[in-house]
């Protein structure tokens, strides 16, 4: 049986190499929500020129989608203000942190519904989620190639409920398909998820209790009952 890959260490190796070269590669970071982005951005903005790609057609309720995307923009604005002012009090970043840009992808719920058709009753974490990951990471890879980014990756690996091995495999496959490098990650490692909770409290971020689609919301509501 092959050894399990430590994607967190793989990312650290890449970063060490970039630092030795004295460069800040361009990175398109697919973001699912502000709370998950919080730690990823705090960490990565010291080593990359980041553009957040907010692409989540799986969020089936438009009011929920708008709330989440506005929180993402609010967090980025707060992080950019730290860079401009040079005040990083309470943060793990320092003056090496760089400004962050954002691209909002197309919000077309039917794109999600089409890829998960027939899988609506799958449990959270099953085949429906795989199709959803593929949809979002393929679009991220396509945009990364179109706009000339050196790397792309996703904040999704910060969740303890998400399979980092599956996400990294899909990301690598999509990178190969579109000719752009996928940056390996497992952001939940090294207490990344714990730090995202701390940052969510610090910035008073809206923290939802379901992934995004109506099926995950219904499953969450049923578990509460």
């Amino acid at each position: 049986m092959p050894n399990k890959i430590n994607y967190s260490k793989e990312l650290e190796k890449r970063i060490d190499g970039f630092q030795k070269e004295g460069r800040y590669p361009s990175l398109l970071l697919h973001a699912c929500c502000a709370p998950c982005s919080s730690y990823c951005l705090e960490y990565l903005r010291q080593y990359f020129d980041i553009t957040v790609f907010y692409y989540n057609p799986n969020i089936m309720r438009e009011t929920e989608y708008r709330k989440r995307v506005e929180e993402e923009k609010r967090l980025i604005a707060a992080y950019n203000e730290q860079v401009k002012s040079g005040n990083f009090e309470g943060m793990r970043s320092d003056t090496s942190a760089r400004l962050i840009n954002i691209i909002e992808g197309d919000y077309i719920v039917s794109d999600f519904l089409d890829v998960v058709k027939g899988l609506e009753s799958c449990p959270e974490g099953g085949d429906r989620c795989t199709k959803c990951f593929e949809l979002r990471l393929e679009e991220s890879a396509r945009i990364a190639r179109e706009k000339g980014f050196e790397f792309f990756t996703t904040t999704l690996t910060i969740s303890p409920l998400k399979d980092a091995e599956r996400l990294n495999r899909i990301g690598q496959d999509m990178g190969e398909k579109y000719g752009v490098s996928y940056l390996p990650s497992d952001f939940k490692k090294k207490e990344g998820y714990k730090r995202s909770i701390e940052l969510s409290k610090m910035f008073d971020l809206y923290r939802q209790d379901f992934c995004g689609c109506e099926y995950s919301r219904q499953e969450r509501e049923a578990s509460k009952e």
Side-chain angles (χ1 to χ4, degrees):
M1 185 176 181
N3 292 330
K4 191 172 181 179
I5 299 172
N6 187 323
Y7 293 103
S8 179
K9 286 188 176 180
E10 288 298 313
L11 175 57
E12 289 178 350
K13 289 178 186 176
R14 299 283 185 94
I15 289 173
D16 285 345
F18 301 144
Q19 286 190 295
K20 288 175 182 177
E21 294 169 3
R23 67 189 188 94
Y24 296 83
S26 60
L27 171 66
L28 187 71
L29 177 66
H30 168 262
C32 55
C33 64
C36 288
S37 300
S38 59
Y39 166 71
C40 303
L41 290 172
E42 179 189 47
Y43 173 46
L44 294 173
R45 65 178 176 167
Q46 301 172 97
Y47 310 112
F48 296 90
D49 280 324
I50 301 174
T51 295
V52 166
F53 181 48
Y54 194 87
Y55 176 67
N56 299 292
N58 58 307
I59 304 175
M60 295 165 67
R61 296 187 176 191
E62 186 168 0
T63 53
E64 179 73 17
Y65 174 88
R66 297 299 170 195
K67 191 170 186 178
R68 294 193 196 188
V69 74
E70 289 307 315
E71 282 293 85
E72 185 73 40
K73 292 175 180 178
R74 183 169 71 86
L75 175 66
I76 290 171
Y79 276 13
N80 284 344
E81 184 56 35
Q82 292 173 349
V83 174
K84 292 172 184 176
S85 67
N87 182 3
F88 295 90
E89 184 178 357
M91 303 298 292
R92 295 180 182 175
S93 303
D94 56 29
T95 53
S96 63
R98 305 169 81 80
L99 293 172
I100 301 163
N101 297 309
I102 183 168
I103 297 171
E104 185 177 351
D106 294 332
Y107 177 55
I108 306 172
V109 175
S110 60
D111 289 348
F112 166 73
L113 295 176
D114 287 346
V115 300
V116 301
K117 189 174 182 179
L119 301 171
E120 294 86 351
S121 61
C122 285
E124 188 74 2
D127 291 343
R128 186 185 68 240
C129 292
T130 297
K131 290 295 183 182
C132 181
F133 298 158
E134 289 173 348
L135 172 68
R136 291 188 279 173
L137 286 173
E138 179 164 11
E139 181 66 358
S140 300
R142 188 186 72 79
I143 293 294
R145 183 188 66 179
E146 178 184 291
K147 297 194 177 292
F149 287 89
E150 187 172 351
F151 294 95
F152 78 102
T153 194
T154 179
T155 64
L156 286 166
T157 63
I158 199 169
S159 171
L161 302 177
K162 300 290 191 296
D163 178 3
E165 192 282 328
R166 182 176 8 171
L167 284 162
N168 279 278
R169 173 176 48 79
I170 292 170
Q172 288 162 3
D173 289 346
M174 295 306 174
E176 290 175 6
K177 179 177 180 179
Y178 287 91
V180 60
S181 296
Y182 176 79
L183 194 70
S185 72
D186 191 354
F187 292 117
K188 70 177 72 65
K189 298 286 189 179
K190 301 180 73 174
E191 298 192 325
Y193 178 68
K194 179 182 177 182
R195 179 61 176 165
S196 74
I197 295 174
E198 295 171 354
L199 289 166
S200 294
K201 291 178 180 177
M202 184 185 303
F203 291 94
D204 193 25
L205 298 176
Y206 165 60
R207 193 175 182 88
Q208 68 281 348
D209 64 355
F210 67 102
C211 184
C213 74
E214 189 65 13
Y215 315 117
S216 66
R217 188 194 69 80
Q218 292 172 1
E219 188 173 324
R220 176 63 176 164
E221 291 301 315
S223 70
K224 288 180 182 178
E225 293 176 5

